[in-house]
Amino acid sequence: MNATQAKDRLYSQLAASLKNMSRAVGQTADLFEQLQTDLDAMRVLAGTHAAQFMTVAAELSPEAGGGANTEATAVGSASLENFVIEKTL
């Protein structure tokens, strides 16, 4: 095998390696995009659950005048839920 054939073989291997790397980078970009979508959905879900938890906790809290506490927490949880939903849009 002469030097030209060896050089051509190495360039061919390099081209194949670059093609594989390009494909892998594209897949990684797609996975990062899906990850971002999943993280946004998780943030919305966590905010919704936090709002539900605060509302239920306010309803179950054994306070003498629980009406004001319940009302304030329900308003606060609704605001939190709206904030989380608006933040994702």
Side-chain angles (χ1 to χ4, degrees):
M1 179 179 285
N2 63 26
T4 303
Q5 291 173 333
K7 184 175 72 171
D8 289 343
R9 182 179 51 82
L10 290 174
Y11 275 125
S12 176
Q13 288 176 352
L14 177 62
S17 294
L18 288 173
K19 183 178 177 182
N20 288 338
M21 187 172 64
S22 176
R23 184 177 40 81
V25 168
Q27 288 176 342
T28 302
D30 292 342
L31 290 172
F32 271 114
E33 185 177 332
Q34 183 61 44
L35 176 63
Q36 184 63 45
T37 302
D38 292 346
L39 288 174
D40 289 342
M42 287 173 60
R43 187 177 67 223
V44 170
L45 184 63
T48 303
H49 284 178
Q52 291 172 347
F53 176 78
M54 289 189 298
T55 302
V56 170
E59 291 290 327
L60 297 177
S61 65
E63 301 221 0
N69 186 26
T70 302
E71 189 174 310
T73 304
V75 169
S77 64
S79 297
L80 175 64
E81 187 172 340
N82 288 338
F83 171 76
V84 171
I85 291 171
E86 289 172 3
K87 190 73 171 164
T88 59
L89 300 176

